[in-house]
Amino acid sequence: MKAHLLVVDDDPRITDLLRRILAYEGYSVAVATSGDDALKRTLERAPDLIVLDVMLPGLNGLEVVQRLRVAGDNVPILLLTARDTVADRVKGFEIGADDYVVKPFAPEELVARIKALLRRNQVERHEILHYADVQLDTGTRVAHRGPREIELSPTEYELLALFLRRPRQVLTRDVIMDRVWGLDFEGSSNVLEVYIGYLRNMLEADGEARLIHTIRGIGYVFKE
């Protein structure tokens, strides 16, 4: 699944540039133009990383970082700023930012720092996802239903992980396609239905109750 990045800057030249650069690198990119908009967008769709300008209208970037950290959100945050003093950098790190790039920046350096933060966060976010009697180890990518082990292909893993992170939540077909295959996917139009069938067969192989339910005309929900 491609990483989803949130770029926050009130300068459209910066956001347009970053959107193009990061989309070319294969990331899904959303844009916010103020601190309040950034907080709203993190609730609408949790990003895998935030590129955050410090000088913003309304809430500034440092205040956004503080609010996210107080709320328990550990999303990696890379600050963009025109300030280049040690005191400014230290302040950013003290409140919970993960990295710091000074404007004007070299696109290659910014991309390299983003990739490094995403790699580090992947290691740190090794977790056990579970709902009902289904469990998924994100480190080994091995699933269990009760005591039974289930081997998953990469796509089946991404699909099950998405459901386990959003139990009891109706996920539209478009949302699932975006998160698992990406909006630019050009394969078969029924690929989602095919993989839902694969996953159901695996989860119900020993006659267990259905957990993936079809919401006709909308999408799917993972629930007991």
Side-chain angles (χ1 to χ4, degrees), residues 170-174 176 192 213-221:
V170 175
L171 299 175
T172 66
R173 192 179 190 282
D174 287 345
I176 299 172
L192 175 56
H213 302 273
T214 302
I215 308 300
R216 192 170 301 279
I218 300 176
Y220 300 90
V221 61

Side-chain angles (χ1 to χ4, degrees), residues 6 8-9 42 59 84 94 117 119 122 163 175 191 207 221:
L6 175 62
V8 188
D9 199 302
T42 60
L59 292 176
D84 190 23
E94 284 181 342
L117 285 175
R119 283 196 303 269
Q122 264 189 333
F163 281 130
V175 164
V191 65
V221 61

Side-chain angles (χ1 to χ4, degrees), residues 4 9 12 19 40 45-47 49-50 60 63 77 82 94 111 126 140-141 159 177-178 181 186 191 195 206 216 221:
H4 177 63
D9 199 302
R19 190 200 295 270
K40 177 183 176 184
R45 178 178 179 184
L49 181 143
I50 300 176
N60 66 40
E63 291 170 323
I77 298 175
E94 284 181 342
V111 169
H126 176 195
T140 64
R141 296 196 165 209
L159 187 56
M177 290 297 297
D178 179 28
W181 284 273
E186 296 180 353
V191 65
Y195 273 91
D206 283 353
R216 192 170 301 279
V221 61

Side-chain angles (χ1 to χ4, degrees), residues 1-70:
M1 190 190 307
K2 65 173 67 176
H4 177 63
L5 310 186
L6 175 62
V7 173
V8 188
D9 199 302
D10 62 330
D11 186 339
R13 294 170 300 176
I14 297 293
T15 55
D16 288 347
L17 173 65
L18 290 178
R19 190 200 295 270
R20 289 197 304 271
I21 292 170
L22 298 174
Y24 179 79
E25 292 292 330
Y27 299 118
S28 162
V29 183
V31 170
T33 56
S34 70
D36 290 316
D37 190 24
L39 293 175
K40 177 183 176 184
R41 288 186 177 274
T42 60
L43 292 175
E44 291 174 349
R45 178 178 179 184
D48 296 297
L49 181 143
I50 300 176
V51 179
L52 177 64
D53 185 35
V54 171
M55 302 300 291
L56 292 169
L59 292 176
N60 66 40
L62 298 182
E63 291 170 323
V64 171
V65 175
Q66 287 177 315
R67 294 201 181 192
L68 289 171
R69 297 308 188 228
V70 167

Side-chain angles (χ1 to χ4, degrees), residues 112-220:
R113 289 177 179 269
I114 287 171
K115 289 180 177 178
L117 285 175
L118 289 171
R119 283 196 303 269
R120 189 178 80 189
N121 195 52
Q122 264 189 333
V123 173
E124 292 175 349
R125 292 184 65 182
H126 176 195
E127 57 189 321
I128 304 297
L129 304 175
H130 59 85
Y131 177 76
D133 59 347
V134 177
Q135 180 173 291
L136 178 63
D137 186 320
T138 63
T140 64
R141 296 196 165 209
V142 172
H144 286 83
R145 180 142 198 196
R148 181 167 58 85
E149 183 174 307
I150 303 172
E151 292 187 12
L152 301 169
S153 71
T155 300
E156 290 157 359
Y157 164 81
E158 296 290 356
L159 187 56
L160 182 58
L162 176 61
F163 281 130
L164 287 171
R165 287 192 169 100
R166 300 288 188 273
R168 298 182 297 276
Q169 179 179 331
V170 175
L171 299 175
T172 66
R173 192 179 190 282
D174 287 345
V175 164
I176 299 172
M177 290 297 297
D178 179 28
R179 304 291 177 87
V180 178
W181 284 273
L183 286 175
D184 55 354
F185 177 74
E186 296 180 353
S188 171
S189 61
N190 72 334
V191 65
L192 175 56
E193 289 72 22
V194 169
Y195 273 91
I196 289 289
Y198 292 160
L199 203 51
R200 278 176 172 160
N201 289 339
M202 293 175 181
L203 293 174
E204 302 168 19
D206 283 353
E208 295 95 339
R210 175 152 295 183
L211 290 173
I212 303 174
H213 302 273
T214 302
I215 308 300
R216 192 170 301 279
I218 300 176
Y220 300 90

